[in-house]
Amino acid sequence: FNRWNPGHDYMTKGDDGVFRMEKKLKPGEYLYNFIIDGSLELDTYNEETRYREDTGELSSYLKVDKVM
């Protein structure tokens, strides 16, 4: 989403305790991780994962089919 820059795209915690972020994405395939207390973490609510070719690390996978 942001070229793996941890200084971008902060999530905010809602009154219900859930962290959220809105981001417009073009159709395509995306890999992402959350940074929690300085370490990369998978999205526990997304079972889809792929290995990043550049680092070999496991990341969560998202496919965007169309812009809404």
Side-chain angles (χ1 to χ4, degrees), residues 4 31 49-61:
W4 300 99
L31 297 175
T49 58
R50 303 287 188 277
Y51 283 99
R52 286 179 50 193
E53 291 181 16
D54 58 338
T55 65
E57 294 175 312
L58 190 63
S59 294
S60 296
Y61 169 82

Side-chain angles (χ1 to χ4, degrees), residues 16-58:
D16 57 1
V18 175
F19 286 85
R20 293 180 176 85
M21 175 189 73
E22 287 188 31
K23 184 140 181 110
K24 292 182 181 182
L25 298 172
K26 294 180 180 181
E29 297 180 353
Y30 297 91
L31 297 175
Y32 67 97
N33 292 84
F34 296 125
I35 299 176
I36 302 172
D37 295 330
S39 66
L40 288 178
E41 302 290 338
L42 294 173
D43 182 347
T44 57
Y45 293 99
N46 180 1
E47 295 178 1
E48 293 288 328
T49 58
R50 303 287 188 277
Y51 283 99
R52 286 179 50 193
E53 291 181 16
D54 58 338
T55 65
E57 294 175 312
L58 190 63

